[in-house]
Amino acid sequence: QKEVEQNSGPLSVPEGAIASLNCTYSDRGSQSFFWYRQYSGKSPELIMFIYSNGDKEDGRFTAQLNKASQYVSLLIRDSQPSDSATYLCAVNFYGNNRLAFGKGNQVVVIP
Amino acid sequence: SAVISQKPSRDICQRGTSLTIQCQVDSQVTMMFWYRQQPGQSLTLIATANQGSEATYESGFVIDKFPISRPNLTFSTLTVSNMSPEDSSIYLCSVESQGDLSRFYGYTFGSGTRLTVV
């Protein structure tokens, strides 16, 4: 069964610090990887996606992909209170636009 | 990226009834996806809807319970039939966003429908 794991509990970080989120996936054939942010009561909004091994940066966000280890992470630099949300990792296992989501990690940025 | 208008935003329904959720996209898209997000849980894909063909349902979801229509390339509906309290969830539609020269911009979600079955 294709799985996406986000095992960490709620993450509290002080304002200005780096928040680090991790995600592992079960299928080595996975092709693309997405990070979404979801505020309470709102729908998910895409932060960024990554296809290739290595790092991809977009503003304060950096996604890191290691296909050999089946691992994708998200770093949030200079965390702001507005970054307080649940972060969802999603993986395209099937190559046909269908996404499998992890359970999400809640991030709380403390002013 | 694509903009999706989803309605209703929320509803409270009696058990045994049905609710139809609509999603309108501001551009033509090949596939539309319907997800469910149960309270405190992540998103689970219900089905993929292609225009002109039957929707493809994921394991655990059946057409009789979640019939889907896809009459054109900008619109889809999901019906939650014969509802029970276990159907209380947020339902979301999603599409692939593409720009000029078919550049991929990721998957965009509608604003969601918060359904409560009493």
Side-chain angles (χ1 to χ4, degrees), chain A residues 1 20 39:
Chain A
Q1 183 172 348
S20 178
Y39 293 112

Side-chain angles (χ1 to χ4, degrees), chain A residues 6 32 34 36 38 40-46 49 51 88-89 92 94 96-104, chain B residues 31 33 35 37 40-45 48 56 58 90 92 94 96 104-112 114:
Chain A
Q6 293 180 260
S32 50
F34 302 80
Y36 283 85
Q38 186 174 29
S40 180
K42 302 295 185 182
S43 64
E45 51 183 340
L46 182 65
F49 57 89
Y51 290 115
L88 301 168
C89 173
N92 183 341
Y94 309 103
N96 58 3
N97 299 323
R98 292 151 64 199
L99 296 182
F101 282 81
K103 292 184 178 180
Chain B
M31 287 185 281
F33 307 92
Y35 289 85
Q37 188 172 28
Q41 302 298 313
S42 191
L43 282 76
T44 301
L45 182 63
T48 303
T56 302
E58 298 300 309
I90 298 173
L92 299 127
S94 174
E96 178 181 340
F104 177 69
Y105 284 100
Y107 299 94
T108 302
F109 284 85
S111 55
R114 183 180 295 272

Side-chain angles (χ1 to χ4, degrees), chain B residues 52-73:
Chain B
S53 64
E54 292 278 342
T56 302
Y57 289 83
E58 298 300 309
S59 176
F61 297 96
V62 295
I63 187 171
D64 290 346
K65 177 67 175 177
F66 298 101
I68 287 171
S69 76
R70 184 78 201 276
N72 57 53
L73 292 174

Side-chain angles (χ1 to χ4, degrees), chain B residues 13-111:
Chain B
C13 299
Q14 297 291 323
R15 67 178 67 200
T17 62
S18 298
L19 176 71
T20 295
I21 302 166
Q22 300 179 3
C23 275
Q24 178 75 51
V25 190
D26 68 345
S27 58
Q28 293 185 339
V29 294
T30 304
M31 287 185 281
M32 293 182 73
F33 307 92
W34 287 97
Y35 289 85
R36 180 175 73 181
Q37 188 172 28
Q38 294 178 303
Q41 302 298 313
S42 191
L43 282 76
T44 301
L45 182 63
I46 297 171
T48 303
N50 290 324
Q51 192 265 336
S53 64
E54 292 278 342
T56 302
Y57 289 83
E58 298 300 309
S59 176
F61 297 96
V62 295
I63 187 171
D64 290 346
K65 177 67 175 177
F66 298 101
I68 287 171
S69 76
R70 184 78 201 276
N72 57 53
L73 292 174
T74 63
F75 186 79
S76 180
T77 68
L78 170 77
T79 299
V80 186
S81 303
N82 188 25
M83 288 184 285
S84 67
E86 291 71 34
D87 294 319
S88 297
S89 290
I90 298 173
Y91 293 85
L92 299 127
C93 60
S94 174
V95 301
E96 178 181 340
S97 286
Q98 289 189 334
D100 294 341
L101 302 177
S102 297
R103 182 180 176 186
F104 177 69
Y105 284 100
Y107 299 94
T108 302
F109 284 85
S111 55

Side-chain angles (χ1 to χ4, degrees), chain A residues 4-70:
Chain A
V4 180
E5 297 285 344
Q6 293 180 260
N7 290 327
S8 301
L11 179 65
S12 293
V13 295
E15 184 174 355
I18 296 175
S20 178
L21 303 170
N22 303 318
C23 175
T24 59
Y25 57 95
S26 61
D27 185 8
R28 286 190 174 274
S30 301
Q31 299 180 356
S32 50
F33 308 86
F34 302 80
W35 283 101
Y36 283 85
R37 177 176 62 195
Q38 186 174 29
Y39 293 112
S40 180
K42 302 295 185 182
S43 64
E45 51 183 340
L46 182 65
I47 298 172
M48 62 193 308
F49 57 89
I50 186 168
Y51 290 115
S52 304
N53 279 326
D55 294 359
K56 180 181 180 182
E57 185 174 318
D58 185 355
R60 296 186 295 110
F61 299 95
T62 299
Q64 299 174 318
L65 176 62
N66 184 326
K67 290 188 176 181
S69 300
Q70 296 174 234

